[in-house]
Amino acid sequence: MPAIEFVTIEAADAAAAEAFYAAAFGTGNQVRVRASDEPSTGFRGFTMSLVVSQPATADSLIDSARDAGATVLKPAAKSLWGYGGAVQAPDGTIWTVASSAKKNTGPATRQIDSIVLQLGVAEVAASKKFYADRGLTVAKSYGSRYVEFATGPIALTLNKRSALAKTAGVPPEGTGSHRLVIGSDAGAFTDPDGFAWEAPTA
């Protein structure tokens, strides 16, 4: 079963981006950075999501991201599904931090339970078939609105681009590079929405 082992975020200033992620989230080797000057404007068509156990931990991570230079797009708040907020890193990547819990059960920690790569696509059903044909296992599927794949260390979801942008608190328009490369043993390819995958190197 193919797994996503890491994602590589492309940034104009790779050293600054690496310093930000170390200070803000501590995601280690699962989130990598490399330099790129490919043009990119507006919404890049994806968000990264950190899933945590309780609101206090979400607040802690959002606060550390803001202190490290992120812009708060959506302040953390309760919702129908739980608690969370969204920030934009200095390199332009949008991150959501969320918990299904609405109440704290203990002091805040820095513990991240899971990392989710959320792709905003033009046609969810078509992208679902594309990935299923490459061996990815569907974990959840809600018609043409949302699909989740079981991809190991980093989960993958497909969402309508407009819906994902709305959740992140930004307009859906954007052009140029996604500034993202997905590292997976699924192999090297580019999906219908222009997201690039590459095989991990030894």
Side-chain angles (χ1 to χ4, degrees), residues 98-132:
S99 172
S100 60
K102 297 182 182 181
K103 294 183 179 180
N104 293 317
T105 56
T109 71
R110 303 282 296 169
Q111 178 66 40
I112 297 168
D113 295 337
S114 61
I115 300 176
V116 183
L117 168 59
Q118 301 172 307
L119 299 185
V121 301
E123 297 290 342
V124 171
S127 292
K128 174 186 175 181
K129 182 179 186 304
F130 176 88
Y131 282 118

Side-chain angles (χ1 to χ4, degrees), residues 57-137:
T57 299
D59 286 336
S60 175
L61 291 168
I62 290 171
D63 288 348
S64 65
R66 184 194 60 226
D67 293 345
T71 300
V72 177
L73 299 175
K74 277 192 170 183
K78 290 182 180 179
S79 69
L80 291 174
W81 49 262
Y83 183 90
V87 300
Q88 187 166 33
D91 64 76
T93 303
I94 294 172
W95 291 78
T96 60
V97 185
S99 172
S100 60
K102 297 182 182 181
K103 294 183 179 180
N104 293 317
T105 56
T109 71
R110 303 282 296 169
Q111 178 66 40
I112 297 168
D113 295 337
S114 61
I115 300 176
V116 183
L117 168 59
Q118 301 172 307
L119 299 185
V121 301
E123 297 290 342
V124 171
S127 292
K128 174 186 175 181
K129 182 179 186 304
F130 176 88
Y131 282 118
D133 287 347
R134 278 153 183 78
L136 274 67
T137 301

Side-chain angles (χ1 to χ4, degrees), residues 5-92:
E5 298 181 15
F6 60 88
V7 296
T8 300
I9 292 170
E10 298 181 330
D13 188 335
E18 286 177 349
F20 169 81
Y21 289 116
F25 303 135
T27 45
N29 204 40
Q30 289 180 310
V31 178
R32 305 178 183 185
V33 177
R34 68 183 177 208
S36 173
D37 57 4
E38 287 291 318
S40 182
T41 63
F43 182 47
R44 294 180 182 168
F46 76 95
T47 65
M48 298 296 302
S49 182
L50 304 178
V51 180
V52 299
S53 64
Q54 61 177 346
T57 299
D59 286 336
S60 175
L61 291 168
I62 290 171
D63 288 348
S64 65
R66 184 194 60 226
D67 293 345
T71 300
V72 177
L73 299 175
K74 277 192 170 183
K78 290 182 180 179
S79 69
L80 291 174
W81 49 262
Y83 183 90
V87 300
Q88 187 166 33
D91 64 76

